[in-house]
């Protein structure tokens, strides 16, 4: 959390005090650091520089247009998983030649949209999709550039809901049969199989799954080439883990160390699709304590951010650090290990106003006594936070602010009640 730090017991994002932002923009509020966003992207660009890769920022991790624009301005391409994300990448100024189209269920309309805009690669995940894409491309008189997404069947490596490379998940083509699938489309008039794609899952905190995956990818590149396919891209997906608890994550260089040799062996252009690594620790969610409460022998902090703002704890049992924006003098400003005993704290559940027992940001967390009006920061919330936010309980989605040095800009205004009902019709009129 380099660009989020405490000064005199006040949390800052770069050179802006968080209370100032909460006052001006209200809570709950997502706050992003531009320096962190760009720095994380650059860490990947630097680590993999030897391969001159196409870094395709995963739009689904945080789709805000300003963030996409920042990515484009710093040389990133885009990984999109839907027509809507393609629209965002193009609106952010990207050319199709830097966009890879992923997703297990692309519609014909999405395929056409991608082909019309010249995306450089479609990650294809099934035989049915391959044939549908071939037909759409043929009808348009073009050839669709395809990377076959393979499920390399590796041991479990992250949460079951986000592990995409164990046998039996919906993703990718089976590694046992993908060579036959590739053979069946040699010379297809609407398809150019030009790549191998693999996305192992997320977040991944070790390099060896990438080493094992890349080794399998190299074999597939060779097999497809032997069939006559002109394989030019090796797409190793995203999934690089980040530190949510302490310093458990690896630097990008550790992944480069195991991926680059495979790329070199194939002579392919490397494609990467990082999302979380870029934006996860570049954003926090700021909320305000509404009430505190004790019931059933447990202590609750009820604050104004909820599962509709950040669903990761509910959905994936994810761990996010939570700590006061203004910690008082009797507690450490920033405890090294927030899961160990911390003086003058007591275990509390941090929950939101939504009517679900599953509505929580943290459980049994050591926190100091909090009072109505206190500000809390939920850290590592930049990825899959706002991107997964909803209007559940008819809550307005939060505002988003981008901090650059001493300046701050609203990059998404807080929704209004009118926004919430804007798409609905009145059946009595
Ligand atoms: C979600 C996803 C990514 C991004 O994953 P991160 O963990 O955010 O890096 C990349 N590629 C594909 C195909 C994905 O589904």
């Amino acid at each position: 959390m380099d660009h989020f730090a405490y000064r005199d017991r006040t949390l800052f994002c770069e050179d802006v005090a968080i209370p100032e932002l909460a006052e001006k923009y209200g809570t709950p509020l997502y706050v992003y650091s531009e320096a962190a966003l760009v720095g994380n992207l650059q860490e990947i660009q630097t680590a993999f520089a030897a391969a001159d890769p196409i870094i395709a920022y995963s739009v689904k991790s945080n789709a805000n247009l300003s963030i996409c624009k920042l990515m484009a301005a710093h040389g990133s391409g885009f990984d999109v998983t839907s027509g809507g994300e393609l629209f965002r990448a193009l609106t952010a100024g990207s050319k199709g030649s830097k966009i890879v189209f992923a997703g297990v269920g692309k519609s014909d309309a999405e395929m056409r949209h991608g082909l019309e805009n010249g995306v450089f690669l479609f990650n294809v995940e099934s035989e049915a999709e391959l044939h549908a894409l071939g037909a759409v491309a043929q009808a348009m008189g073009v050839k669709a550039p395809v990377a076959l997404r393979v499920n390399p069947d590796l041991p479990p490596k992250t949460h079951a809901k986000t592990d995409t490379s164990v046998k039996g998940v919906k993703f990718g083509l089976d590694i046992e049969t993908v060579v036959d699938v590739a053979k069946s489309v040699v010379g297809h008039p609407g398809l150019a199989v030009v790549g191998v794609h693999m996305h192992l899952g997320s977040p991944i905190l070790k390099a060896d799954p990438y080493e094992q995956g890349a080794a399998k990818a190299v074999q597939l590149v060779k097999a497809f080439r032997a069939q006559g396919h002109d394989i030019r891209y090796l797409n190793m997906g995203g999934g690089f883990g980040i530190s949510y608890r302490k310093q458990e994550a690896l630097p990008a260089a550790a992944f480069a160390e195991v991926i680059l040799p495979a790329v070199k062996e194939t002579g392919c252009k490397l494609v990467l699709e990082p999302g979380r690594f870029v934006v996860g620790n570049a954003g926090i969610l700021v909320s305000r304590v509404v009430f505190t409460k004790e019931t059933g022998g447990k202590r609750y902090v009820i604050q104004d951010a909820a599962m509709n703002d950040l669903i990761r704890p509910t959905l994936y049992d994810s761990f996010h650090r939570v700590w006061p924006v203004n910690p008082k003098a009797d507690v450490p400003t920033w405890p090294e290990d927030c899961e160990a005993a911390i003086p003058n704290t007591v275990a509390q559940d941090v929950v939101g106003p939504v009517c679900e027992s599953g509505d929580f940001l943290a459980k049994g967390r050591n926190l100091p006594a909090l009072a109505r009006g206190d500000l809390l920061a939920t850290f590592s919330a930049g990825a899959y936070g706002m991107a997964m936010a909803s209007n559940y309980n008819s809550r307005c989605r939060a505002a988003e602010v981008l901090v650059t040095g001493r300046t701050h800009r609203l990059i998404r205004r807080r929704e209004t009640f009118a926004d919430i009902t804007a798409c609905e019709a009145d059946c009595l009129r």
Side-chain angles (χ1 to χ4, degrees):
M1 301 300 304
D2 297 347
H3 298 281
F4 295 89
Y6 287 88
R7 297 182 193 168
D8 295 333
R9 295 193 171 260
T10 295
L11 181 63
F12 277 68
C13 174
E14 300 193 24
D15 293 324
V16 178
I18 296 297
E20 185 188 327
L21 297 176
E23 202 55 50
K24 180 168 167 93
Y25 301 107
T27 55
L29 180 70
Y30 276 98
V31 179
Y32 306 101
S33 153
E34 177 171 342
L37 281 163
V38 173
N40 294 338
L41 174 67
Q42 286 173 345
E43 183 184 334
I44 299 179
Q45 288 169 329
T46 304
F48 288 91
D52 187 25
I54 296 177
I55 311 280
Y57 169 67
S58 173
V59 175
K60 80 173 194 280
S61 65
N62 188 317
N64 185 287
L65 264 184
S66 290
I67 290 179
C68 290
K69 283 191 178 185
L70 260 184
M71 291 294 117
H74 287 86
S76 184
F78 296 92
D79 160 39
V80 303
T81 60
S82 69
E85 288 185 2
L86 176 57
F87 171 78
R88 283 184 182 275
L90 293 168
T91 307
S94 181
K95 293 186 299 250
S97 59
K98 295 194 96 174
I99 298 174
V100 41
F101 203 144
V104 74
K106 302 174 195 76
S107 68
D108 284 14
E110 287 176 321
M111 292 174 182
R112 262 194 303 277
H113 192 192
L115 287 167
E116 279 161 9
N117 286 288
V119 304
F120 82 94
L121 206 58
F122 287 87
N123 295 335
V124 170
E125 308 211 16
S126 65
E127 270 192 273
E129 183 190 348
L130 198 54
H131 291 118
L133 179 60
V136 169
Q138 228 180 318
M140 291 171 65
V142 296
K143 273 193 175 209
V146 165
L148 295 176
R149 174 169 179 177
V150 60
N151 176 349
D153 186 17
L154 299 174
K157 53 206 102 34
T158 182
H159 191 276
K161 284 185 182 155
T162 54
D163 200 326
T164 56
S165 57
V166 285
K167 210 180 183 72
V169 297
K170 71 175 178 180
F171 297 103
L173 290 144
D174 284 338
I175 193 152
E176 294 88 3
T177 51
V178 67
V179 176
D180 294 335
V181 173
K183 193 170 173 200
S184 73
V185 294
V186 172
H188 190 295
L191 297 171
V193 177
V194 294
V196 172
H197 174 242
M198 212 174 258
H199 171 67
L200 304 180
S202 181
I204 296 180
L205 294 170
K206 290 190 297 188
D208 52 295
Y210 287 94
E211 185 166 15
Q212 292 157 18
K216 295 192 182 199
V218 170
Q219 295 313 311
L220 290 176
V221 169
K222 289 177 181 167
F224 296 165
R225 280 179 177 159
Q227 296 170 332
H229 291 297
D230 179 17
I231 305 297
R232 285 173 277 137
Y233 296 104
L234 178 52
N235 183 346
M236 287 304 294
F240 301 160
I242 61 167
S243 295
Y244 283 101
R245 294 165 189 268
K246 285 180 273 182
Q247 295 296 323
E248 69 270 27
L250 293 173
F255 298 108
E257 196 180 315
V258 297
I259 291 173
L260 287 177
V263 178
K264 199 162 180 197
E265 188 178 345
T266 59
C268 284
K269 183 83 167 166
L270 174 66
V271 183
L272 294 169
E273 305 169 334
R276 189 188 312 271
F277 190 92
V278 175
V279 71
N281 268 333
I284 64 170
L285 175 59
V286 180
S287 60
R288 204 178 276 282
V289 175
V290 186
F291 303 115
T292 57
K293 162 171 178 172
E294 263 189 76
T295 182
K298 282 176 81 170
R299 294 176 69 115
Y300 289 91
V301 186
I302 303 166
Q303 39 80 67
D304 61 7
M307 65 186 282
N308 76 295
D309 299 301
L310 180 65
I311 203 172
R312 297 190 68 255
T314 307
L315 191 59
Y316 307 132
D317 311 306
S318 301
F319 184 98
H320 286 265
R321 286 189 76 138
V322 179
W323 198 243
V325 167
N326 294 106
K328 297 201 171 65
D330 60 344
V331 292
T333 311
W334 177 245
E336 198 55 41
D337 182 352
C338 66
E339 293 165 278
I342 304 166
N344 300 317
T345 66
V346 47
Q348 306 179 50
D349 283 12
V350 181
V351 304
V354 160
C355 301
E356 298 267 352
S357 302
D359 175 31
F360 65 94
L361 297 183
K363 281 195 166 164
R365 202 60 67 77
N366 298 326
L367 287 167
L370 291 159
R372 188 171 166 81
D374 285 351
L375 290 170
L376 286 177
T378 299
F379 291 82
S380 314
Y384 308 103
M386 189 60 181
M388 295 177 107
S390 77
N391 291 122
Y392 188 41
N393 275 209
S394 287
R395 284 166 53 83
C396 298
R397 270 177 290 188
E400 293 178 289
V401 169
L402 180 68
V403 171
T404 310
R406 283 176 212 286
T407 66
H408 43 90
R409 280 162 292 177
L410 191 63
I411 57 171
R412 192 182 202 275
R413 67 165 170 81
R414 184 175 307 284
E415 284 177 346
T416 63
F417 296 149
D419 290 329
I420 291 182
T421 53
C423 297
E424 293 168 35
D426 180 352
C427 73
L428 295 181
R429 284 181 50 156

